[in-house]
Structures are given as C-alpha cells and as structure tokens.
Amino acid sequence: MAQAPLLSRRQLLQLASLGGPVLAAGVLAGCSRGGDAGQLLSVRGQLPSAWLKALPSSWRSQVLDSPVALLERLRDPSSASRLVSLGDGWVQQLPPAELQPINAPALLELLDPIAQAPSRLFAGPEAAAKAFPWAFGTWVILLRNRPDLLQRQSEGWALLLDPSLKGRLVLPASPRLLIALAQRQLSSTPGAVPSPEGAALVNQVRRLHRQALSLEESQGLNFLLAGDADAAVVTSQRAVPLLQRDPRLTAFLPATGSPLWWQLLVRQGPRGTTGSTGSPLPLEWLRDGLSLPLLDRLLAAGWVPPLPTSQLASALKRWPARLRPLLLPPPAVLERCTNLEPLSPAQRQGLQQLWDQAMAG
C-alpha cells in the first residue's frame, strides 16, 4: 500500500483555489447553508453516528431500517439528487445508469490502491469512479469461551467443521459467502482442488451448512452472546465493538484471508439524467471521515477507511494489540483477501445450481 498524506481543511481549500473547479464547487457548496439541500440515505447502524452528526446543514439525512427498505425508497421517482451509503453487495442491485460519477479525484487519491476497484464498482480500470469507498473489512471467526479453538486457529476456515461446533455455529445468510468460505476451506485441505463445478465443493458447502444453528447474522449473535452458540462468522465491523465490551469473546481472521466487504457512498441522480446534477458533494465532510478526530470514532465502531497502511498503522498504535489485525490485517493476509465482484448471469446460474445441489443432499 502506497503512502498518501492526509489533507488538512486549509490545504483542501487551498487546493480548490489553485485550479480545481469541481473540487472548489463541492467544498463551497458543502460549507454553504443556502441552495437546494442534498439528501443522504443510509441504513440504521451502518453509518457511524458521530460522522452522520457532522453532516453539513445543507444536507438532509434519512436513516432507513434495512437495506431492503433503502432500495425501496430509491424507487421513489422523486427528482431529488441523493447520496446513498450501502454495502457493495446491495449497491450491485442498483441500476448502473442511475448512478452518477463521484467527482472527488483529490479525495479518491488519498485512498489506498485497494479501493480503486470498488470505487469503479468493479467495472474495469477505464471506468469512471461511481463510488466513494469509505470503509472496508473482512469476515472473521468470533468465539465465545472457546480458548481450545482459538489455539487451533492455524486450521483456518476448516475449523468451522469441528464436531464440537455442530449446531452451535452462526453463519451468514448469504449463499454466495458460504460458497466462498467453503472454497477457502478446501484450499487449505491437502490434495483438494476447489472449483465451482466440483463435487468436492458441493459436499463442502453441504457440510458447512449442516454445522449451522442459525443463518442470520444479527439474530444469530444473540445466540452467541446468550451461550447457545460457541462461534459465529461475522464482519470485522461487528466483531470489534463486541470484543471491546465482552471479555468472553475472542476473534481471528484465518491466514488464508476472507472475502472483503465494502461500505460505499454512491450518488443517485434524478431519473433520466446522465451527468452530475443536483447538490455538489459534501467533500469536506467526506475528508473529515478520513482524518482525526473522527477517524478514531470510526475505528472504535469497527469502520476502517481504506487508507494507506502506514497511516492506519499509525492510528492503530493506540489500540489493543489483539484488535489491530482485525481492523487492519497483516499485508500478507490482506493480499489473500478477495472482492465479491458482480456476477455475470452465467456465473449466477452456476452458483445457484451448486447451492441447490448442496441443499438437496
């Protein structure tokens, strides 16, 4: 990860005055109290409250109860321009033609190169940036009072198949994620060759699914905290706040890595428009989420901006050693993490057939 310096508010304003017309317009509009108000839509609990409270007064905020409710709200044919915060999987359900470019090159350049693909919504290196990736992380194994399993973390994702976890394991509800985890289990098994069509992978998905007590992350965590489950696969963002509050819990990211999750800000323009219209982006507000003091508030809630390693490592020095690799995995582990990119119709059909075969066994 290459190092890129953070800009202060004064530097950002100076940069705007030195010939960045789009940047200047965004900064001035973000600080202005006049003009048409922009609208920021987010899901409850998925945008840090400290950051949301700092939103400029020229923007209105609406918090929806779930990603499904937010997507339904976006179907409203209102002509208002919206800034939308969603996970990368949910953003993929938005029609690409309705998303406007994110005209914030100076801010995007502050991010680590790992953020380039999600900023383009995985559309290729020549595509325009249509998202601002403000947080990312991994999936981890969260354990409750199981030091014996923690000592065996070198077994990686295969640990989820331990007989003691049958009926005491919480897994995410996403079939695609479970298939990805099963593939990683096979990759750590000598002699196994995982492939989307392979019988070995079908069997592995079936075995993993049969271990589960629950396939619903938020409700399943209640089972874990109540002692009805011993382990859960959760996002690093969910794990970090729990680990700070509950000494019975431990967590680790297997050395083989995991799929990455991303939180993205995308811009939905009025129907029938193609270029950037509506309220300019609140650029200074976006920058504040990448720097102190707000950066500490984001990290405390488990939200990690995709900044260069050197900057994040410096910010994490104040954190307990056990939490640092969950917030920022070691470079070798992070290199083994992969994005869950949009699927082609053929790929989607293939995974659906694999899942159906696994569930039929």
Side-chain angles (χ1 to χ4, degrees):
M1 293 189 177
Q3 183 173 0
L6 290 176
L7 299 180
S8 67
R9 294 189 182 196
R10 177 175 296 180
Q11 289 171 322
L12 191 63
L13 291 170
Q14 289 174 340
L15 179 61
S17 67
L18 291 175
V22 173
L23 183 60
V27 172
L28 293 176
C31 297
S32 171
R33 296 181 180 271
D36 296 333
Q39 187 177 35
L40 172 63
L41 302 182
S42 62
V43 177
R44 192 174 309 282
Q46 295 188 12
L47 195 68
S49 58
W51 197 27
L52 192 57
K53 290 176 182 177
L55 190 68
S57 59
S58 57
W59 281 74
R60 301 190 310 272
S61 170
Q62 182 177 3
V63 179
L64 285 300
D65 288 331
S66 69
V68 173
L70 193 153
L71 291 177
E72 184 64 29
R73 176 72 177 84
L74 294 180
R75 295 189 182 99
D76 183 344
S78 167
S79 60
S81 176
R82 304 180 179 102
L83 194 60
V84 181
S85 180
L86 270 175
D88 54 317
W90 293 100
V91 167
Q92 292 171 19
Q93 299 188 32
L94 296 175
E98 292 185 9
L99 300 180
Q100 298 182 346
I102 295 290
N103 290 321
L107 284 178
L108 289 170
E109 288 176 4
L110 296 178
L111 304 181
D112 187 83
I114 196 175
Q116 291 182 3
S119 76
R120 299 187 297 264
L121 300 180
F122 311 103
E126 303 303 321
K130 286 195 171 183
F132 183 78
W134 64 268
F136 82 118
T138 61
W139 291 82
V140 302
I141 298 177
L142 185 63
L143 301 171
R144 181 186 186 274
N145 289 336
R146 291 300 303 265
D148 57 321
L149 294 182
L150 185 64
Q151 291 176 358
R152 294 165 49 197
Q153 62 181 277
S154 61
E155 298 177 27
W157 293 106
L159 193 66
L160 297 178
L161 298 177
D162 188 84
S164 70
L165 290 180
K166 187 172 180 61
R168 299 189 63 81
L169 173 65
V170 173
L171 293 173
S174 165
R176 187 181 181 189
L177 182 61
L178 294 188
I179 292 172
L181 295 181
Q183 287 176 311
R184 289 179 182 270
Q185 288 175 334
L186 283 175
S187 67
S188 62
T189 302
V193 181
S195 67
E197 306 82 21
L201 182 55
V202 171
N203 183 59
Q204 198 77 358
V205 171
R206 183 181 298 126
R207 292 177 63 199
L208 180 60
H209 184 269
R210 287 177 176 174
Q211 289 284 91
L213 166 68
S214 170
L215 290 174
E216 206 284 315
E217 186 184 350
S218 57
Q219 179 60 35
L221 279 175
N222 292 332
F223 291 132
L224 183 74
L225 297 175
D228 296 319
D230 291 338
V233 175
V234 299
T235 62
S236 52
Q237 187 277 323
R238 279 189 177 271
V240 167
L242 289 173
L243 291 167
Q244 295 177 80
R245 298 195 301 264
D246 194 330
R248 301 170 301 177
L249 301 179
T250 55
F252 70 94
L253 169 64
T256 54
S258 81
L260 292 173
W261 57 263
W262 290 91
Q263 278 289 324
L264 307 173
L265 282 163
V266 295
R267 193 172 185 186
Q268 185 197 45
R271 297 288 175 90
T273 62
T274 55
S276 296
T277 61
S279 300
L281 292 173
L283 294 174
E284 190 174 2
W285 177 75
L286 293 175
R287 186 208 64 83
D288 284 346
L290 304 178
S291 54
L292 299 173
L294 268 176
L295 178 58
D296 268 345
R297 304 289 294 276
L298 267 65
L299 293 174
W303 302 108
V304 181
L307 292 168
T309 296
S310 58
Q311 294 176 29
L312 285 176
S314 177
L316 291 173
K317 285 181 180 179
R318 299 183 295 276
W319 285 74
R322 66 190 181 96
L323 296 180
R324 293 175 202 164
L326 300 177
L327 289 163
L328 179 63
V333 177
L334 192 56
E335 288 177 1
R336 301 184 189 111
C337 296
T338 53
N339 293 308
L340 293 180
E341 300 187 7
L343 297 171
S344 68
Q347 290 172 323
R348 188 177 299 109
Q349 182 179 5
L351 289 183
Q352 184 63 57
Q353 290 175 349
L354 187 153
W355 180 258
D356 291 343
Q357 292 174 20
M359 296 304 101

